[in-house]
Amino acid sequence: MVLIRTANIKNSLIHMDRTQSILLYDPRYTTSFGIGYAADSIAMSMNSSDLEVDVFSLFSDLDLQLDKRKTIVRNKLLFSVLNKFLGLARIRKLSEYKFKYLIRKYDIAYLWPGAHLRTFQQAKKHGKILVIESINCHQNTANQILDKEMQILGIAEYKKIPEASIADENLKLTMADYIFCPSPNVTKSMLENGIEPAKLIETSYGLGEHQRHYPKKTTSPPGELNGLFVGSGIIRKGIHLLLEYWRDANLKGKLVIVGSIDPAIEHIVKPYRDDSRFEFINFTKNIDQYFKQADVFMLPSLEEGSPLVTYLAIGAGLPCIVSPMGGEGVIRDGVDGYIIDPHDKSAWISVLSLLATNKAKLKEMSLAAYARSEYFLWHNVGQRRADALITRIGDKR
């Protein structure tokens, strides 16, 4: 038997001659899309002969017949009643008490954003290994990036991340034994903010088998290109930059923007609403139709973690034109897309023009993107995460 003493865990020994158990706690209502879906997919996919992983959330639209999914209550009608009379904030508080009870039988607590500091303290109190998920760059880095962009745009007042929230993040990062970072930029931001390198496990997000489908469609004629942006219409996502680049590229074709526009930047977006080269879709659950209609996917984000939409794009065989924040670690520059500085306007326009005219290149990148997506199927991502965590904790049996 190999005994490994882990950092910052008082009197805690990991016995590597048995399967280790993890409880992933995500204080959300889990749906079939979004970050809750990602957390659930990762938990289910990390299960192996070395790890037993369960997920605990407020409620889940996914298969609750599976005992590995634990919730406040098992009945959706009952949850709706609780939500009506208590509200999500109080339900989250109830979930903290249930977590306190559940975590006792697990070796590892795996906490996702939104978990209260009290939950971190409970995990440490019970001597558990504490793993956390950083879905975005460090909040201090995010503030610095947005401050700079707002100055460029001349926007004096905007909602900054509060200093108290940054302090809370720093305390949680200090308490963590290991931190999953879903992209190189998240890792970089952690290092820049003084987080110990030994804690960081660089990884990725992914997509499901059902989200991977190569569309059968006719390629747009030479000179025409149809683009797609999916996400919140906010400065952080670089929407203001993309609208300008698409307009000035002056291509035949249309840019579809799926996502609600922040009212604070409506004055920037408004001139594009009457332009036939742009189509704005506030929200849709049927996102697949837009991936099937597009030729390329674009995301010039200024700050991100590892956007789930980028994985969906390659799963639909779309070449991706992204900023480093929008796709580094997923997109291979020049193979299945291009990684371009979000402020390099001439480079963005040049690539758009290239793909509009060179249909052979567009097809080549489309096939490469689809092939690349297999690497990021959840079961592959989950096993890579499991292997990385086991390696950090100690040698396998």
Side-chain angles (χ1 to χ4, degrees):
M1 178 176 69
V2 180
L3 300 179
I4 306 294
R5 191 178 299 275
T6 59
N8 303 320
I9 305 176
K10 187 177 181 180
N11 299 323
S12 177
L13 292 175
I14 303 302
H15 297 257
M16 298 307 293
D17 64 342
R18 66 174 177 82
T19 299
Q20 300 301 298
S21 58
I22 298 178
L23 179 62
L24 185 155
Y25 172 49
D26 180 31
R28 294 173 179 78
Y29 182 128
T30 304
T31 64
S32 59
F33 58 91
I35 201 65
Y37 164 71
D40 183 275
S41 298
I42 288 168
M44 297 300 103
S45 300
M46 285 180 71
N47 281 283
S48 68
S49 59
D50 296 300
L51 289 177
E52 286 284 347
V53 187
D54 294 343
V55 60
F56 172 44
S57 61
L58 304 186
F59 193 76
S60 178
D61 285 339
L62 305 176
D63 183 11
L64 285 180
Q65 296 300 314
L66 190 64
D67 189 52
K68 301 188 77 60
R69 293 189 176 107
K70 304 182 183 304
T71 56
I72 291 290
V73 293
R74 307 294 284 181
N75 182 278
K76 188 168 186 176
L77 178 59
L78 180 55
F79 180 84
S80 298
V81 171
L82 284 175
N83 190 26
K84 180 178 179 179
F85 289 100
L86 296 179
L88 280 179
R90 289 182 179 177
I91 294 176
R92 285 195 183 95
K93 187 69 178 289
L94 286 175
S95 73
E96 291 177 30
Y97 290 110
K98 187 164 184 176
F99 172 86
K100 181 180 177 180
Y101 165 76
L102 289 172
I103 193 58
R104 299 183 185 201
K105 70 174 186 177
Y106 294 87
D107 301 304
I108 302 167
Y110 180 12
L111 306 183
W112 277 59
H116 197 278
L117 181 61
R118 291 184 296 266
T119 306
F120 282 70
Q121 293 166 337
Q122 283 296 327
K124 300 300 281 187
K125 179 181 178 181
H126 290 293
K128 307 302 179 182
I129 295 176
L130 182 54
V131 179
I132 66 174
E133 184 80 21
S134 288
I135 63 174
N136 283 96
C137 289
H138 193 288
Q139 291 180 106
N140 184 50
T141 297
N143 259 356
Q144 292 172 359
I145 292 170
L146 289 177
D147 277 347
K148 183 177 179 181
E149 193 68 15
M150 294 303 181
Q151 289 177 13
I152 293 173
L153 294 172
I155 299 176
E157 295 184 9
Y158 74 99
K159 190 176 182 180
K160 295 184 65 171
I161 299 171
E163 289 299 322
S165 181
I166 296 174
D168 180 72
E169 179 182 23
N170 282 331
L171 184 54
K172 291 173 178 176
L173 291 169
T174 300
M175 295 175 71
D177 296 293
Y178 302 103
I179 304 162
F180 278 122
C181 301
S183 75
N185 282 293
V186 173
T187 302
K188 180 182 177 183
S189 75
M190 294 296 158
L191 294 171
E192 290 173 344
N193 285 277
I195 306 303
E196 299 171 33
K199 290 186 175 188
L200 307 178
I201 302 175
E202 191 167 298
T203 179
S204 72
Y205 291 132
L207 73 166
E209 291 273 8
H210 66 287
Q211 296 171 315
R212 186 171 182 260
H213 41 75
Y214 194 79
K216 295 180 179 179
K217 62 179 182 181
T218 304
T219 304
S220 300
E224 182 177 321
L225 196 69
N226 292 298
L228 177 66
F229 168 96
V230 178
S232 299
I234 54 178
I235 295 298
R236 186 171 67 85
K237 296 279 188 178
I239 184 65
H240 58 300
L241 300 172
L242 183 58
L243 292 172
E244 178 186 336
Y245 300 165
W246 187 267
R247 179 197 66 197
D248 292 353
N250 198 27
L251 304 171
K252 293 180 181 178
K254 182 178 290 187
L255 171 61
V256 176
I257 299 96
V258 180
S260 57
I261 302 297
D262 181 359
I265 63 167
E266 179 59 34
H267 65 287
I268 296 175
V269 176
K270 188 176 180 179
Y272 299 96
R273 289 195 179 274
D274 295 327
D275 190 325
S276 62
R277 294 172 294 179
F278 300 89
E279 181 178 355
F280 293 86
I281 310 293
N282 281 336
F283 179 76
T284 178
K285 287 188 177 180
N286 185 19
I287 194 66
D288 288 351
Q289 64 175 311
Y290 297 103
F291 282 110
K292 290 176 182 177
Q293 293 167 4
D295 295 312
V296 294
F297 174 77
M298 292 170 289
L299 191 62
S301 293
L302 304 174
E303 188 277 318
E304 289 274 9
S306 187
L308 294 175
V309 289
T310 302
Y311 299 92
L312 295 180
I314 60 173
L318 291 184
C320 296
I321 311 172
V322 296
S323 64
M325 288 284 185
E328 201 163 65
V330 181
I331 303 306
R332 298 165 297 179
D333 187 44
V335 179
D336 31 51
Y338 294 95
I339 300 176
I340 309 174
D341 184 301
H343 292 104
D344 191 345
K345 179 177 178 178
S346 62
W348 279 79
I349 291 176
S350 177
V351 164
L352 288 171
S353 299
L354 170 66
L355 295 181
T357 55
N358 190 336
K359 295 303 177 178
K361 184 67 173 177
L362 183 68
K363 182 67 174 181
E364 176 188 314
M365 285 191 155
S366 174
L367 292 170
Y370 182 70
R372 173 70 163 164
S373 68
E374 184 176 8
Y375 180 79
F376 294 107
L377 288 172
W378 285 123
H379 65 265
N380 294 326
V381 172
Q383 286 306 299
R384 286 196 294 271
R385 282 176 173 246
D387 290 344
L389 182 59
I390 291 168
T391 299
R392 290 297 180 94
I393 292 173
D395 294 332
K396 292 183 178 180
R397 291 178 291 179

